[in-house]
Amino acid sequence: MAIPVQRADSMADRLPEAMRQNRFQIKKCFSRLVSQGKRILQTQEFLNELATIIEDQAERNKIQEGMFGRMLQSTQEVVIVPPLLGLAIRTKPGVWEYDRVNANDLSIEQITVTEYLKLKECLVDEEWPKNDYALELDFEPFNASVPHMARPSSIGDGVRFLSRHLSCRLFHDAQSMQPLLDFLQTCNYCGEDLMVSDTINTVSQLQTALVKAEEILSDLRKEAPYEEFEHRLQDIGLEKGWGNNAQNVLHTIHLLLEVLQEPDPTAFEDFLGKIPNVFKVVIFSPHGYFGQADVLGLPDTGGQVVYILDQVKALEEELLSRIEQQGLDITPHILVVTRLIPDAQGTRCNQRIEKILNTQHSQILRVPFRTEKGILRRWVSRFDVWPYLEKFAEEAANEIVATLQGKPDLIIGNYSDGNLVASLVANKFDIIQCNIAHALEKTKYANSDLNWKKFDEKYHFSCQFTADILAMNNADFIVTSTYQEIAGSEDTVGQYESHGAYTLPGQYRVVSGIDVFDPKFNIVAPGADMSIYFPYKEKHSRLTHFHEAIEELLFSPDDTLEHKGFLNDKKKPIIFSMARLDRVKNMTGLVEWFGKNSRLRKLVNLVVVAGFIDSSKSKDREEISEIEKMHGLIRKYNLNGDFRWISAQTDRLRNGELYRCIADTKGAFIQPALYEAFGLTVIEAMTCGLPTFATCKGGPAEIIIDGVSGFHIDPNNGDEASEKIANFFEKCKANSNYWNIVSDAGLQRINDCYTWKIYAKKLINLTNIYGYWKHISKKNKREIQRYMKMFYTLKYQELINR
């Protein structure tokens, strides 16, 4: 649950005086608003309506600069049910207040989440809010014993907060350290004890053994291999896993001695990170065509596939490095579990097992969707997978145990479907679960919860939102790429934050869903595969054998099934974009910006890589609509001559060189999405040295420092965005070095903050730390799991069987 505003701090208490100062104008505003009947207004819609009602600029400024104006700026939505107005006020990220105003007498009172949601429900169903037995979800009581952060600036840094809490908790009383010893004694591999043997039963015995080990190791040379002193450590109850030589073992022992001596969150986090607890990892990604070749650009198949394949390589490298440093002879194993699709469209998605390239011990395991009639052969949209996931999870669990010859140590879910399956399997095995949402659909479609019935036939949001709230609360920790995914910004609501309170009228209302101040949230940003995406200036590494094909792709004059349109002036810089062709990615929006801006068209060419050229080739409803829209824009703005539309490209190596060829033209990369959870293509483009313009809605706003390492653009203001791009190229014409300055700054930003090596190290550390937290919190976990199992059985199963 988001932090509630305390009564003394509430807007409801402070506003009456402000409203009295501007009573006439405020009365006029509210009266006009309610006169138009029941409706819901988002922030900008609300402010725009007020601007038209109060025509006098001086009066409008007076109101906006006062307490009432500040409340208006913080109001995320207004529910109008005459004569009442319900205000959802967000005073800061994660902190909400709900107020009700009567337009007749301007009385205002703070109301509960339930009261606000009931008012909202009246917009679509006047009877359901009157039902005293309507199903309400409230996860807050189960989290009462969980320590929570208080400052919005701390959101997403849960591991640091949790480490402070846990290190202090060790010194609560005489028995507080025993859980740490118990946790160490759970460390084993295939029945073989690691770290601590069962001969050590008390913390006092552990401390004695550590001191003895310190004496033994101090007499040895630093490089002495573990085998030289293995038996001496075993004699005092210490098993393998502390390190591969005397220096590393001593370092780990010193960390634990520091942890046991006084509260030290840094030492505590470092020590838990060194525990050998992770050898077998399972990653779920059921939807789309998950493969290593010829899949990118197919329906529901894009950045998530790239993310996971790069993630696997980085995780395997990190596990191999750790296992070696821990002095163990263990082979790690990573499985990406996805759907087997018999009608694989020329891909390998019909193969049960596939080795992941450039890895030693990682595979793709494919499990089919099943119906009563047998295996489902065709592709299924990510919006339609829900009826198949339970059987998929059951079969996957059996396949995983058989393939790994035992249970995994960590399960990672991806997107809503993968996170739900991860929850089912993690509960079955009682192991650590990590969620990665990539994108939560609820924030992409305005009022998609309130109006779920309108969306359900096409998108089945009732199933998806139910799966999301279950998986979020079941996860031991949640990884996001940016802060905005969790808690948005000062002006926008975060993806996870939007799941704090919402309603699906006729099904259930959520009064406390997920709390962004929960320490389970951690920001762990990915990188780009440096073997594919590297700076254009590295001439010795350039993949020149692709240049002829790329030249044809960009400049051949004929329309084909692979490309449409042509570029008259090859000397002009190219602005370039590559994404799925769907509404949210906003590729058609970019084309329209370009078409309308004659100054920009004189300065640059536009090339987009997206979807199919021929709508008959697509099976995706939304993509078909966008394909038809793209053809219409080409005709409307007569784009032939300075626009090229290339169909989706699946060769990642060639795509990497394509970025660099665009950089050779002194062009730029444009990412125009209406919302982007992270923005992997932004990372790829910047890694190749392309100056980048990216949406300010979502993760790219954190990746790019505006005006320094790239530029933010507002996808809802195409005129402004296109002018910003044009201004950049005008400046480059005036100063030939300006392009290089922005390019170099983008590369530096990537090297400082976004690499897979940093990512993998953080993820394994998180697994160990949250593994310890799970170990000492089993009772609380069991209680919330029972609650969720009941909700899953009574509601989710009902929804998928409708």
Side-chain angles (χ1 to χ4, degrees):
M1 186 179 80
I3 289 184
V5 177
Q6 297 300 313
R7 186 71 196 177
D9 299 325
S10 75
M11 287 281 190
D13 284 337
R14 289 180 285 165
L15 276 174
E17 177 59 31
M19 292 173 75
R20 278 193 291 271
Q21 295 172 3
N22 303 280
R23 187 174 181 84
F24 173 76
Q25 293 290 357
I26 294 171
K27 172 77 170 173
K28 177 182 176 182
C29 288
F30 285 163
S31 296
R32 183 82 64 84
L33 287 170
V34 299
S35 70
Q36 298 177 46
K38 295 192 299 184
R39 56 197 172 123
I40 185 170
L41 299 176
Q42 304 303 317
T43 307
Q44 197 56 52
E45 295 171 323
F46 181 41
L47 295 175
N48 289 343
E49 291 220 13
L50 292 181
T52 62
I53 295 169
I54 306 175
E55 297 175 355
D56 185 273
Q57 182 69 48
E59 286 290 337
R60 193 159 64 242
N61 290 343
K62 181 180 177 182
I63 290 175
Q64 289 175 344
E65 291 168 5
M67 171 61 70
F68 185 70
R70 288 195 290 275
M71 181 206 73
L72 298 182
Q73 293 292 337
S74 299
T75 300
Q76 295 299 313
E77 65 180 22
V78 180
V79 174
I80 303 172
V81 181
L84 303 176
L85 297 94
L87 310 178
I89 301 171
R90 181 175 178 262
T91 56
K92 59 183 72 171
V95 182
W96 291 76
E97 174 184 342
Y98 300 95
D99 293 338
R100 182 169 56 210
V101 178
N102 189 312
N104 292 336
D105 58 12
L106 294 189
S107 60
I108 181 169
E109 61 178 331
Q110 189 172 356
I111 57 177
T112 65
V113 176
T114 296
E115 289 172 316
Y116 176 78
L117 293 178
K118 284 185 174 182
L119 189 65
K120 194 172 180 180
E121 290 156 6
C122 289
L123 299 176
V124 295
D125 186 340
E126 292 187 354
E127 294 304 314
W128 200 66
K130 300 174 185 177
N131 182 358
D132 292 335
Y133 299 98
L135 177 60
E136 283 194 354
L137 279 189
D138 185 355
F139 288 97
E140 195 274 334
F142 299 102
N143 295 316
S145 61
V146 176
H148 280 62
M149 298 170 286
R151 294 169 57 83
S153 59
S154 299
I155 292 171
D157 197 10
V159 69
R160 181 178 298 182
F161 174 84
L162 193 59
S163 295
R164 286 196 295 266
H165 170 78
L166 294 175
S167 64
C168 292
R169 184 167 168 168
L170 291 174
F171 297 88
H172 182 68
D173 56 43
Q175 297 301 312
S176 295
M177 292 182 183
Q178 188 63 35
L180 179 57
L181 172 58
D182 296 340
F183 181 64
L184 292 176
Q185 289 182 322
T186 66
C187 296
N188 74 86
Y189 182 77
C190 295
E192 182 182 7
D193 288 338
L194 301 176
M195 299 293 282
V196 177
S197 75
D198 56 10
T199 61
I200 295 178
N201 298 308
T202 67
V203 174
S204 177
Q205 290 176 335
L206 174 62
Q207 289 173 312
T208 299
L210 294 174
V211 172
K212 287 181 179 179
E214 193 176 27
E215 293 172 357
I216 293 169
L217 294 165
S218 61
D219 293 332
L220 300 175
R221 69 187 193 284
K222 293 180 180 179
E223 302 80 12
Y226 175 78
E227 291 74 18
E228 286 189 13
F229 52 87
E230 177 179 4
H231 296 300
R232 296 174 69 185
L233 293 189
Q234 286 178 332
D235 289 342
I236 59 175
L238 300 183
E239 301 291 346
K240 64 180 65 174
W242 294 85
N244 61 347
N245 58 37
Q247 182 179 31
N248 287 339
V249 173
L250 190 59
H251 175 65
T252 307
I253 285 172
H254 282 163
L255 282 175
L256 182 52
L257 285 170
E258 289 175 22
V259 167
L260 298 175
Q261 177 177 279
E262 62 180 352
D264 187 337
T266 301
F268 182 80
E269 186 176 336
D270 288 348
F271 172 71
L272 286 182
K274 290 185 175 296
I275 293 176
N277 252 351
V278 184
F279 308 108
K280 300 175 182 178
V281 179
V282 168
I283 301 171
F284 281 109
S285 181
H287 74 263
Y289 291 85
F290 193 100
Q292 301 179 84
D294 304 320
V295 298
L296 295 182
L298 292 177
D300 293 338
T301 309
Q304 182 172 313
V305 173
V306 175
Y307 178 107
I308 293 171
L309 290 173
D310 288 345
Q311 175 195 51
V312 167
K313 294 169 191 173
L315 286 175
E316 183 182 280
E317 288 178 9
E318 179 65 20
L319 289 174
L320 287 168
S321 174
R322 284 180 183 237
I323 289 169
E324 179 184 1
Q325 292 175 12
Q326 289 160 349
L328 301 173
D329 183 19
I330 293 174
T331 300
H333 200 161
I334 301 176
L335 280 182
V336 177
V337 183
T338 187
R339 184 193 162 203
L340 186 146
I341 308 175
D343 296 341
Q345 302 294 311
T347 72
R348 295 181 181 175
C349 294
N350 55 1
Q351 295 184 10
R352 178 181 172 273
I353 286 281
E354 182 182 354
K355 184 180 184 296
I356 294 178
L357 300 175
N358 301 316
T359 68
Q360 301 175 56
H361 314 292
S362 301
Q363 299 167 297
I364 299 170
L365 170 65
R366 296 189 178 93
V367 177
F369 282 174
R370 294 186 186 273
T371 69
E372 294 178 354
K373 298 179 181 179
I375 292 175
L376 188 65
R377 299 189 59 83
R378 59 182 175 78
W379 164 82
V380 174
S381 165
R382 71 184 188 274
F383 297 118
D384 300 328
V385 299
W386 309 108
Y388 311 106
L389 295 182
E390 188 171 312
K391 288 183 179 179
F392 175 83
E394 292 172 2
E395 188 171 345
N398 295 330
E399 294 270 8
I400 288 165
V401 171
T403 305
L404 296 180
Q405 297 183 331
K407 297 192 303 184
D409 305 304
L410 167 65
I411 286 182
I412 302 173
N414 291 273
Y415 191 68
S416 301
D417 55 346
N419 287 328
L420 180 67
V421 173
S423 299
L424 296 173
V425 178
N427 286 342
K428 179 183 178 70
F429 291 149
D430 190 27
I431 56 175
I432 298 296
Q433 176 191 345
C434 166
N435 280 9
I436 304 174
H438 296 281
L440 293 166
E441 300 292 342
K442 184 171 171 294
T443 52
K444 292 182 181 179
Y445 301 82
N447 302 317
S448 53
D449 52 350
L450 182 67
N451 296 311
W452 68 271
K453 290 181 181 178
K454 294 181 181 178
F455 289 99
D456 229 41
E457 183 177 353
K458 183 176 182 179
Y459 295 114
H460 303 296
F461 282 154
S462 62
C463 297
Q464 184 156 7
F465 298 167
T466 305
D468 283 333
I469 204 68
L470 284 165
M472 289 175 197
N473 282 281
N474 195 74
D476 296 292
F477 66 101
I478 295 173
V479 162
T480 71
S481 299
T482 64
Y483 180 96
Q484 289 200 32
E485 281 181 69
I486 310 169
S489 64
E490 289 297 325
D491 303 319
T492 59
V493 178
Q495 290 190 63
Y496 280 98
E497 186 181 7
S498 74
H499 291 76
Y502 63 96
T503 181
L504 274 66
Q507 293 296 340
Y508 59 88
R509 70 176 65 97
V510 179
V511 297
S512 177
I514 193 70
D515 185 354
V516 297
F517 290 91
D518 193 312
K520 70 168 60 179
F521 286 102
N522 287 275
I523 300 167
V524 186
D529 186 337
M530 297 295 187
S531 67
I532 296 175
Y533 306 100
F534 53 85
Y536 75 100
K537 292 185 289 187
E538 294 183 7
K539 300 296 184 182
H540 62 285
S541 301
R542 293 286 296 268
L543 307 181
T544 54
H545 59 284
F546 284 128
H547 284 188
E548 184 177 347
I550 290 173
E551 176 79 10
E552 194 278 336
L553 202 61
L554 292 174
F555 298 114
S556 70
D558 301 322
D559 285 353
T560 69
L561 289 176
E562 192 176 21
H563 48 71
K564 182 177 178 62
F566 57 91
L567 306 179
N568 279 328
D569 187 353
K570 295 183 180 181
K571 295 181 180 179
K572 286 199 296 187
I574 293 174
I575 59 172
F576 172 67
S577 192
M578 180 160 52
R580 292 193 314 275
L581 193 52
D582 63 28
R583 186 189 69 84
V584 174
K585 292 300 183 183
N586 198 31
M587 297 295 275
T588 52
L590 170 61
V591 173
E592 184 149 29
W593 304 348
F594 180 75
K596 292 167 62 177
N597 192 320
S598 58
R599 183 166 73 105
L600 183 60
R601 292 176 66 171
K602 289 177 182 177
L603 288 166
V604 298
N605 292 316
L606 171 63
V607 173
V608 299
V609 176
F612 291 101
I613 307 294
D614 182 355
S615 61
S616 68
K617 301 291 184 181
S618 177
K619 296 180 182 179
D620 184 273
R621 296 179 292 256
E622 195 165 271
E623 184 181 47
I624 291 169
S625 174
E626 289 295 299
I627 291 170
E628 292 170 352
K629 184 177 180 181
M630 187 77 83
H631 284 288
L633 290 170
I634 293 171
R635 292 190 296 270
K636 179 179 179 180
Y637 293 105
N638 191 23
L639 293 177
N640 280 327
D642 47 21
F643 170 67
R644 179 76 146 192
W645 175 15
I646 301 171
S647 64
Q649 300 296 301
T650 59
D651 188 330
R652 291 184 70 203
L653 283 171
R654 192 170 79 169
N655 286 347
E657 191 61 25
L658 178 57
Y659 279 118
R660 289 183 287 273
C661 288
I662 301 299
D664 291 337
T665 74
K666 297 299 181 183
F669 183 75
I670 316 295
Q671 210 282 25
L674 300 177
Y675 183 86
E676 185 65 51
F678 178 58
L680 196 56
T681 55
V682 172
I683 297 291
E684 292 170 354
M686 292 171 69
T687 303
C688 292
L690 263 178
T692 298
F693 294 76
T695 179
C696 63
K697 305 296 183 183
E702 294 175 41
I703 297 171
I704 291 172
I705 301 174
D706 188 32
V708 178
S709 54
F711 303 91
H712 299 162
I713 52 175
D714 184 349
N716 298 312
N717 192 336
D719 292 343
E720 179 187 81
S722 64
E723 283 299 309
K724 195 169 188 177
I725 299 167
N727 290 340
F728 168 77
F729 283 101
E730 290 279 16
K731 193 167 182 179
C732 289
K733 286 181 69 175
N735 177 2
S736 60
N737 197 42
Y738 183 61
W739 189 95
N740 294 323
I741 291 171
V742 177
S743 171
D744 291 344
L747 282 167
Q748 189 62 51
R749 177 71 173 164
I750 295 299
N751 293 331
D752 289 346
C753 303
Y754 298 97
T755 72
W756 280 110
K757 185 176 181 63
I758 295 171
Y759 174 99
K761 182 177 181 179
K762 285 184 177 179
L763 191 64
I764 301 302
N765 285 347
L766 290 173
T767 303
N768 284 336
I769 293 164
Y770 286 90
Y772 175 66
W773 176 240
K774 180 184 180 78
H775 174 77
I776 66 175
S777 309
K778 282 190 177 293
K779 181 177 181 295
N780 291 339
K781 188 74 173 177
R782 282 196 302 270
E783 291 172 350
I784 194 171
Q785 283 176 339
R786 287 169 183 155
Y787 184 69
M788 288 191 292
K789 186 174 182 179
M790 178 180 65
F791 181 60
Y792 176 91
T793 303
L794 297 178
K795 182 53 63 176
Y796 176 78
Q797 289 186 333
E798 172 202 313
L799 289 169
I800 64 173
N801 291 322
R802 286 195 311 155

